Amino acid sequence: MADISTTLPLTPESVHTAFSKIRDHVHRTPLLTSKTLNSIASSSSDSTPSPKFNIYFKCENYQRIGAFKARGAFHAITHLIEVMGLEEVRKRGVVTHSSGNHAQALALAASHFDIPAHIVMPKISTPSKIAGTQSYTKHVYFSGSTSQEREAMVEDVIKDTGAILVPPYDHPDIMLGQGTTALELQEQYNKIREEQDGKPNLKAVLSPLGGGGLLSGISIYFSDQPEVNVIGCEPSYQGGNDGEIGLKSNPPKRIETVKTLTIADGLRTPVGTIPWKIFTSGSSNKTKNLESIYSATEEQIKKAMRLVLERMKVFIEPSSAVPLAVVLYNEEFRKWVYEEQQAEGGKPWDIAIVFSGGNTTIEAIMGIFGDKSNDKDIERAEGIKGSGGKHIAENIAG
């Protein structure tokens, strides 16, 4: 990766600079609304009064390769070219390890500049993500799913080829690239509100949290806007909410290892070192870059995903449904919002949810919602069983 000393500072201004470099390479994804989901989210539950929401959905599932990862990959590649020169980067190539979305994104970005891309993928990776990666590069290597196995294979590739490592999330270039999601989101939101003769008043942005590249980029972008609360959202299954557990520890402590087979397969990884520093710090304008982290159960994620598929007619992967699941079902989050709203006179909150990607399959969706007619193929499609038949998952980078 480009040396840290050459990267831009982690500031909102740097997100704008990153956007100027990648805007011609990525899609400007839509910002959608749903009156039906607003109504459901604003309905009282049995246990607590309900907060009131107007929700805006940033649809990165419509991004190139079907996920936000294209933003960070293009920013990382363009910065490498600036620092090292295109011919040197082409000579050496790039390498990463990823379960799918970053793999496809880096392969795409590298192919645009005719740079060889070497991708290490766990055998447990979803077949559709493997196929997507192979459509952009012929250099795909399969490893075990543990961090040690994947990193060992990456080291072998680097020794053999001299390729430059581009990590999935734990680097400023990746984080700033992903932060352009927030920049676009706010521009689109402000325009919608102005056209409605309303004053923009975005109160919260909720994003899935895996390694933290997307959430840290969003946190960086909004670090000078104290009125906007940035919220991380994780699956709780088998300790998949490592960020929530670590942040709520006393003192806060980053959890380094995660083993979970949550259906939110893009979030099966611990928070990275540099994103964690962003989450646990503030700025001159904001006490906390990240307000908090909340989690959702597998059943809540399924229910939220079903609502998006059936009510919005939008195709998303389970990881994307986690923030909506938090808004709809996490009582701690809903109580916090309700109390904040009451202190402000009961006015509904405008909030934004990032749909991080849409890379799943019909077979996986059938498995999630109960059709077990072909269990063997479904388990492979869901990414819970490797090609060797073993159920293993550890620190799988998205």
Side-chain angles (χ1 to χ4, degrees):
M1 196 69 186
D3 190 278
I4 294 290
S5 65
T6 70
T7 61
L8 295 168
L10 297 177
T11 65
E13 293 75 21
S14 294
V15 176
H16 283 272
T17 301
F19 188 60
S20 70
K21 296 179 182 180
I22 70 169
R23 66 192 312 163
D24 292 335
H25 302 299
V26 298
H27 296 325
R28 188 176 182 85
T29 56
L31 188 69
L32 303 182
T33 59
S34 169
K35 289 184 178 180
T36 299
L37 291 188
N38 286 344
S39 177
I40 294 171
S42 301
S43 300
S44 296
S45 66
D46 294 335
S47 56
T48 60
S50 179
K52 305 300 179 184
F53 296 105
N54 297 311
I55 310 174
Y56 297 80
F57 299 92
K58 180 60 171 168
C59 295
E60 285 294 288
N61 52 308
Y62 295 134
Q63 187 52 263
R64 297 184 71 178
I65 68 92
F68 71 93
K69 294 279 190 176
R71 296 175 182 273
F74 269 105
H75 186 239
I77 290 290
T78 55
H79 185 220
L80 273 177
I81 292 170
E82 289 174 352
V83 173
M84 302 179 65
L86 179 57
E87 291 308 312
E88 179 65 16
V89 180
R90 282 177 176 166
K91 178 182 176 181
R92 294 180 58 181
V94 293
V95 62
T96 198
H97 56 87
S98 165
S99 66
N101 284 345
H102 178 66
Q104 294 176 83
L106 185 64
L108 167 67
S111 68
H112 179 83
F113 295 100
D114 294 321
I115 297 168
H118 303 270
I119 312 295
V120 174
M121 302 186 74
K123 296 184 183 74
I124 201 173
S125 299
T126 304
S128 62
K129 293 180 180 179
I130 294 173
T133 304
Q134 290 174 328
S135 69
Y136 295 113
T137 179
K138 61 183 180 180
H139 306 295
V140 177
Y141 313 81
F142 296 102
S143 72
S145 61
T146 68
S147 57
Q148 293 86 352
E149 289 170 313
R150 292 183 288 106
E151 290 168 5
M153 183 166 285
V154 166
E155 288 301 316
D156 288 341
V157 172
I158 292 172
K159 288 178 183 178
D160 292 341
T161 66
I164 305 158
L165 176 63
V166 180
Y169 48 82
D170 207 0
H171 192 279
D173 285 343
I174 297 294
M175 296 158 63
L176 292 172
Q178 317 304 25
T180 64
T181 305
L183 186 157
E184 261 188 26
L185 184 162
Q186 188 169 50
E187 287 182 348
Q188 292 166 310
Y189 164 78
N190 287 348
K191 183 176 180 181
I192 291 171
R193 294 295 288 131
E194 288 166 2
E195 290 175 350
Q196 295 172 341
D197 297 323
K199 181 180 179 181
N201 188 33
L202 187 63
K203 300 294 291 186
V205 176
L206 294 90
S207 165
L209 172 58
L214 175 61
L215 184 61
S216 62
I218 293 171
S219 298
I220 291 164
Y221 176 76
F222 285 111
S223 63
D224 64 348
Q225 300 182 49
E227 69 280 5
V228 179
N229 299 283
V230 179
I231 307 292
C233 304
E234 293 180 305
S236 60
Y237 186 63
Q238 295 180 330
N241 57 332
D242 60 292
E244 179 183 33
I245 294 168
L247 194 65
K248 293 179 179 177
S249 298
N250 188 18
K253 180 178 176 61
R254 186 178 76 91
I255 295 174
E256 298 181 2
T257 302
V258 175
K259 293 183 180 181
T260 175
L261 287 172
T262 173
I263 58 171
D265 65 303
L267 311 182
R268 296 174 179 171
T269 188
V271 176
T273 303
I274 304 176
W276 182 257
K277 291 179 181 177
I278 294 297
F279 299 155
T280 54
S281 61
S283 66
S284 58
N285 294 308
K286 203 170 192 176
T287 304
K288 296 188 293 184
N289 291 326
L290 183 69
E291 175 60 32
S292 192
I293 302 172
Y294 299 93
S295 59
T297 67
E298 299 294 276
E299 283 305 311
Q300 290 168 347
I301 295 168
K302 291 178 185 179
K303 288 164 66 176
M305 185 174 176
R306 181 187 290 273
L307 284 170
V308 174
L309 294 172
E310 294 181 350
R311 303 300 180 93
M312 292 185 69
K313 320 302 180 188
V314 172
F315 194 85
I316 61 171
E317 61 188 89
S319 300
S320 292
V322 176
L324 179 59
V326 166
V327 170
L328 295 177
Y329 310 118
N330 186 290
E331 293 299 336
E332 183 183 358
F333 170 77
R334 291 175 64 82
K335 180 181 178 182
W336 171 70
V337 175
Y338 178 79
E339 291 175 349
E340 291 289 316
Q341 289 181 350
Q342 293 308 299
E344 298 168 357
K347 185 178 179 181
W349 271 19
D350 285 0
I351 67 170
I353 286 175
V354 178
F355 285 158
S356 53
N359 287 322
T360 187
T361 64
I362 295 299
E363 291 78 13
I365 290 174
M366 290 167 64
I368 288 170
F369 294 112
D371 186 339
K372 300 296 183 181
S373 59
N374 194 344
D375 287 350
K376 182 178 178 181
D377 289 343
I378 288 168
E379 284 186 321
R380 280 290 294 127
E382 289 176 334
I384 62 175
K385 180 183 285 188
S387 59
K390 294 183 179 180
H391 292 71
I392 301 172
E394 180 180 357
N395 295 12
I396 300 176

